[in-house]
């Protein structure tokens, strides 16, 4: 009931990803995830609303992380640099989780409704980043363009990061940003 | 039954938008939309899967339009210019429909599930544009970045176009693209 379960959230996530891979996302139940993690269903529902949210449980923390980075950056940073630096800093969290991120992506790629959920997550992140830029006094359309261009950079970097065994997120985000600059310059 | 109904699709759209505004989207039924348009429910379902799709019935045509413009452009056009020119050309269709687009947007803005549907539509357009660029031999990440940056430009231009009484879509898309160039240059 009220027992303290050390790292219950992480154990549930790992159990869910293992089961989704072995048996297929649609066939796995919350009861099975809890059992695999050695926890109760009640504990599951303290951490996640349903089995889909295990895959998206990090969204709020990621958003908070990005918004915090934008808010804390030096005063004279340009809007796109604020966004790119925040995205590059996600390596602090992501780089240790590459295997789990790959497992998660395999599940998402196989299910259109999860892909849609992922797109909405990214759009929500863009809106939050634009809001964080506005808080710093960036004009509205510049804030939207910088945030959305940043999310495009992140998507390109993220796909490479999943496929790559070596380069870390910061390097891949910086590389994709350089490509964006070349592309938008219209050369 | 098999009767030919002149411009049934447009009449249904106009009737739906009028009813959504007067009575609220969630309270309107397909039967009422058909009656308001002077058509049968059977005719409604020949054109739209449900009352939500009346709001998104133009998506496939818009996608086809954009992909066609990208495919037909001169050979030496840069990827971002291909995308921006295609988006600017949507004025050929949109500029005559500004009032209807405003009515539609008011309904969408008031309903989170419709806003999500709109985000997915835009992401789908970005994917289609990236595919059209790839068809022209553009490298994959450049195609994705140009397409997604283009959709960001379009979103900024579209909001202004709805609010604006004067400037046409082409001018607003070009203006937002100039802003994107300034933003991504990171100045």
């Amino acid at each position: 009931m009220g027992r303290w379960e050390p790292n219950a959230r992480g154990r549930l996530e790992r159990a869910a990803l293992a089961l989704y891979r072995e048996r297929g996302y649609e066939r796995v139940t919350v009861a099975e995830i809890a059992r695999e993690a050695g926890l109760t269903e009640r504990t599951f529902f303290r951490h996640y609303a349903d089995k889909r949210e295990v895959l998206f449980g990090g969204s709020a923390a990621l958003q908070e992380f990005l918004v915090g980075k934008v808010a804390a950056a030096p005063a004279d940073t340009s809007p796109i640099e604020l966004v790119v630096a925040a995205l590059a800093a996600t390596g602090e969290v992501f780089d240790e989780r590459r295997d789990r991120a790959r497992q998660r992506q395999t599940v998402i790629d196989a299910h259109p409704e999860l892909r849609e959920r992922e797109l909405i997550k990214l759009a929500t992140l863009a809106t939050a980043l634009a809001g964080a830029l506005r808080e710093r006094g960036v004009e509205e359309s510049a804030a939207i363009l910088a945030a959305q261009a940043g999310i495009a950079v992140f998507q390109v970097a993220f796909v490479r990061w999943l496929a790559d065994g070596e380069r870390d997120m910061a390097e891949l985000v910086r590389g994709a940003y350089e490509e964006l600059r070349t592309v938008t310059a219209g050369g």
Side-chain angles (χ1 to χ4, degrees), chain A:
Chain A
M1 305 277 293
R3 282 182 308 153
W4 183 71
E5 300 287 1
N7 193 25
R9 199 174 164 83
R11 282 160 64 190
L12 288 163
E13 186 195 14
R14 251 180 273 257
L17 289 172
L19 289 169
Y20 296 165
R21 187 182 49 202
E22 285 163 29
R23 317 239 328 271
Y25 169 75
E26 50 292 307
R27 276 189 293 277
V28 174
T29 67
V30 164
E32 289 165 334
I33 297 168
R35 194 183 318 131
E36 176 82 11
L39 296 165
T40 63
E41 275 190 75
R42 179 185 282 261
T43 300
F44 179 96
F45 288 117
R46 262 206 298 275
H47 292 280
Y48 299 108
D50 53 41
K51 71 176 185 177
R52 190 183 74 163
E53 286 313 300
V54 181
L55 299 164
F56 297 98
S59 307
L62 177 58
Q63 180 169 320
E64 206 177 311
F65 178 91
L66 292 170
V67 166
K69 290 284 178 193
V70 168
D76 60 346
T77 320
S78 76
I80 190 74
E81 256 303 322
L82 288 169
V83 171
V84 169
L87 293 167
T90 61
E92 298 168 19
V93 183
F94 275 119
D95 286 328
E96 284 184 359
R97 292 176 48 92
R98 205 175 316 212
D99 282 339
R100 247 189 285 181
R102 284 177 186 139
Q103 289 175 38
R104 173 184 177 276
Q105 202 63 42
T106 304
V107 179
I108 288 173
D109 288 346
H111 294 86
E113 80 279 14
L114 298 178
R115 288 205 301 271
E116 291 196 348
R117 179 75 177 75
E118 182 80 347
L119 289 172
I120 289 162
K121 185 188 93 174
L122 290 167
T124 306
L125 281 179
T127 304
L129 279 169
L133 293 173
R134 296 279 290 133
E135 285 286 313
R136 290 180 64 108
V138 176
E139 183 269 325
E140 182 161 11
S141 63
I144 292 170
L145 290 167
Q148 294 195 343
I151 291 297
V153 161
F154 185 65
Q155 287 180 264
V156 167
F158 192 77
V159 169
R160 286 188 188 146
W161 177 80
L162 289 173
D164 199 295
E166 304 237 329
R167 287 170 300 174
D168 63 18
M169 186 68 91
E171 184 182 346
L172 293 164
V173 165
R174 291 281 167 196
Y177 172 47
E178 284 311 311
E179 281 179 68
L180 174 74
R181 286 165 65 108
T182 306
V183 162
T184 52

